[in-house]
Amino acid sequence: LHTGFPGEFVDSSERGFKSTLADRRLYLNAAAFYQDYTDYQLNAFNGFFFSVFPVPEVTSKGVDADILWRPSSAFTLQGGITYADTRYTEKNRALLSLTPSTARLPGERLNLAPLWSGSLSATHELPLGGGLLLRSNANVRYSSSYNAGTDLNPLKVQKSYAVINARIGIGDEDKSWGVEVWANNLTDKLYMQNSFDAPFQSGSINAFLGAPRTYGVTLRAGF
């Protein structure tokens, strides 16, 4: 079985800045980027196995920014946002149009490539006395809509969504031990991570879903 394919190469450029403000309590970074991929290796799943198909050219351009703010020693706010327009170009449209799995690609955004994505996290630490510390954290991750299928079938579009996680715990101030109660995907959001045509079931679609709501307890100890 021959599995060879051309190497993937990328020309990338980035311009941005990093700053420290408010007496080192605020950190703000931002950058604009452009990437040009040659022979992009499209990894497609057909329900049985993954195959790699080289796409002649893909471009990605956008802006990302992140912030870290510490208004006090007890509270930290951290977040970031990215706008990325990642698309197959029109190069070799005739070649890509020969097969149903690639016919929709020219000029369209890549699968699993939202235009907007972002995250925000808040952490609070409260001394309880006696060397104990109460620590709580909540974070949210947002994604705008994207197509979850490598063939960009419109039926495989995932709408925008947000996933919220949280944890609270108590432990020693020097972090030698701790116990945490946590929950991931608090709202039990249902979303697709990858979608593909169901084998031997024409017109049906299967998907790998994101993890559902989970919760538990974690014990930590250092020696």
Side-chain angles (χ1 to χ4, degrees):
L1 179 64
H2 178 66
T3 57
F5 43 83
E8 177 184 293
F9 297 91
V10 57
D11 290 327
S12 179
S13 61
E14 182 176 315
R15 297 290 185 274
F17 68 87
K18 298 179 181 292
S19 61
T20 302
L21 307 169
D23 196 25
R24 296 185 178 274
R25 293 194 302 270
L26 178 63
Y27 299 85
L28 178 62
N29 307 317
F33 60 86
Y34 180 85
Q35 299 169 322
D36 187 357
Y37 292 85
T38 302
D39 287 325
Y40 172 78
Q41 295 173 6
L42 176 62
N43 197 8
F45 184 65
N46 64 6
F48 295 104
F49 56 85
F50 287 91
S51 60
V52 175
F53 183 88
V55 179
E57 188 176 58
V58 166
T59 61
S60 180
K61 57 186 177 181
V63 178
D64 65 77
D66 60 84
I67 184 174
L68 190 151
W69 181 40
R70 291 195 181 106
S72 70
S73 60
F75 184 77
T76 301
L77 187 68
Q78 187 171 7
I81 188 169
T82 299
Y83 172 82
D85 188 3
T86 305
R87 294 181 179 273
Y88 300 104
T89 68
E90 296 285 347
K91 189 175 182 178
N92 286 6
R93 171 181 279 274
L95 174 63
L96 296 175
S97 299
L98 293 178
T99 59
S101 61
T102 59
R104 297 186 182 94
L105 270 53
E108 298 297 326
R109 291 208 328 266
L110 270 66
N111 65 305
L112 307 180
L115 277 176
W116 292 95
S117 58
S119 64
L120 185 65
S121 173
T123 301
H124 185 258
E125 295 182 336
L126 177 65
L128 300 177
L132 295 179
L133 186 69
L134 179 68
R135 188 174 189 270
S136 56
N137 172 270
N139 64 80
V140 58
R141 176 174 53 88
Y142 168 80
S143 173
S144 64
S145 63
Y146 56 79
N147 196 306
T150 54
D151 61 352
L152 301 186
N153 185 333
L155 297 178
K156 300 175 182 178
V157 170
Q158 169 61 54
K159 295 181 180 179
S160 61
Y161 66 92
V163 174
I164 302 172
N165 307 317
R167 63 179 58 231
I168 185 170
I170 188 172
D172 200 320
E173 287 184 339
D174 63 7
K175 299 182 180 180
S176 60
W177 68 271
V179 56
E180 290 182 331
V181 179
W182 53 266
N184 293 332
N185 195 359
L186 273 168
T187 60
D188 202 24
K189 184 65 180 179
L190 184 68
Y191 61 97
M192 295 185 294
Q193 292 184 310
N194 189 23
S195 182
F196 54 94
D197 295 336
F200 308 121
Q201 300 178 53
S202 179
S204 297
I205 292 173
N206 289 344
F208 293 112
L209 302 178
R213 178 170 52 227
T214 56
Y215 49 87
V217 178
T218 300
L219 302 176
R220 304 180 189 275
F223 301 95

